[in-house]
Amino acid sequence: MARKVRSAEYALEGAQESAARLEKQVRSQESEFTSAVAAFKEREEELKRQLADMQQTAEREASARVTEMEENLKSIKAIQEGAESEIRAADEKASTEALSSIEELETKNKELQSRIQESEAKLGRMTEDYSSMQQQHFSVLVLAMRLHFASIGQTCCLDVTELYEKAVEEEVDMAGWPTFISSHFNQL
């Protein structure tokens, strides 16, 4: 009987030691988990700050480019109006002058037509730049959404180009892009 008691005491001591080791491991893992959660929260805050910075930068750049393009467009329109006015004046002058001035007027007309063509080409390039900027802005919004979802542990595989083309096809204006993008993320 004493042997059984001693054996039970040894078993009890072994069980207590095992329980103490397990408790120590649990505390260690709990500490590691707490540290990991804190690090994750710090990373999440950093990502949020980066996202906000990226959005502000993108909005400032887009706004500056739009303002620049609007000013260029006004300048082109003024040039075009001036050219048209010069053409009208040249036409009036041609009707009142003799044939000797026709060659001079044709030269001016060619120069004005050339300026108009240059202005139209510049407008075409600006329109392409604006379209490119819109697509870049759209891509930044999608990237921001991806970062947000990544910060909460979700991944997504949306094709930015396809989503942009769909937004254009559905005629979603720029103000509605965040909602449009978010709705497609939520469908995943």
Side-chain angles (χ1 to χ4, degrees):
M1 180 77 153
R3 208 185 262 177
K4 286 184 180 180
V5 168
R6 187 178 291 150
S7 176
E9 286 175 350
Y10 287 136
L12 180 59
E13 286 176 17
Q16 287 174 341
E17 289 174 4
S18 292
R21 280 192 307 271
L22 286 173
E23 185 177 338
K24 188 176 180 180
Q25 287 176 343
V26 166
R27 285 185 184 145
S28 173
Q29 289 176 350
E30 182 180 348
S31 174
E32 290 173 8
F33 179 75
T34 302
S35 296
V37 167
F40 178 76
K41 286 182 179 179
E42 288 177 19
R43 179 66 177 147
E44 180 182 20
E45 289 301 316
E46 180 183 336
L47 287 172
K48 285 179 181 178
R49 282 191 300 276
Q50 289 175 354
L51 175 61
D53 290 347
M54 287 174 64
Q55 285 177 328
Q56 288 176 351
T57 300
E59 288 172 1
R60 279 193 305 269
E61 288 175 1
S63 177
R65 285 290 282 174
V66 166
T67 301
E68 178 185 345
M69 287 175 26
E70 287 173 347
E71 290 173 3
N72 288 338
L73 184 58
K74 287 177 186 176
S75 173
I76 289 170
K77 285 182 180 179
I79 290 170
Q80 188 174 6
E81 288 172 0
E84 289 171 353
S85 175
E86 287 181 31
I87 290 171
R88 282 192 301 273
D91 286 344
E92 289 174 11
K93 185 177 179 182
S95 66
T96 58
E97 291 184 354
L99 292 174
S100 62
S101 63
I102 290 177
E103 289 179 8
E104 181 183 324
L105 293 174
E106 287 177 346
T107 303
K108 279 188 176 183
N109 192 20
K110 285 179 184 177
E111 289 173 359
L112 292 174
Q113 291 298 328
S114 175
R115 286 175 60 187
I116 289 172
Q117 288 174 348
E118 289 173 7
S119 296
E120 289 174 347
K122 187 174 181 180
L123 179 61
R125 287 190 302 272
M126 288 174 50
T127 301
E128 289 175 9
D129 287 347
Y130 182 72
S131 178
S132 175
M133 282 180 42
Q134 281 185 313
Q135 191 164 6
Q136 288 173 359
H137 179 65
F138 187 89
S139 296
V140 167
L141 290 174
V142 171
L143 177 61
M145 290 284 190
R146 281 184 179 165
L147 286 172
H148 170 72
F149 278 94
S151 72
I152 59 173
Q154 295 180 357
T155 58
C156 71
C157 298
L158 283 177
D159 182 356
V160 176
T161 304
E162 285 182 17
L163 192 57
Y164 177 75
E165 288 173 359
K166 188 171 183 179
V168 170
E169 181 181 303
E170 293 181 13
E171 299 181 355
V172 178
D173 63 344
M174 286 178 70
W177 284 356
T179 304
F180 176 80
I181 294 167
S182 179
S183 70
H184 281 79
F185 270 88
N186 291 334
Q187 291 175 5
L188 294 179

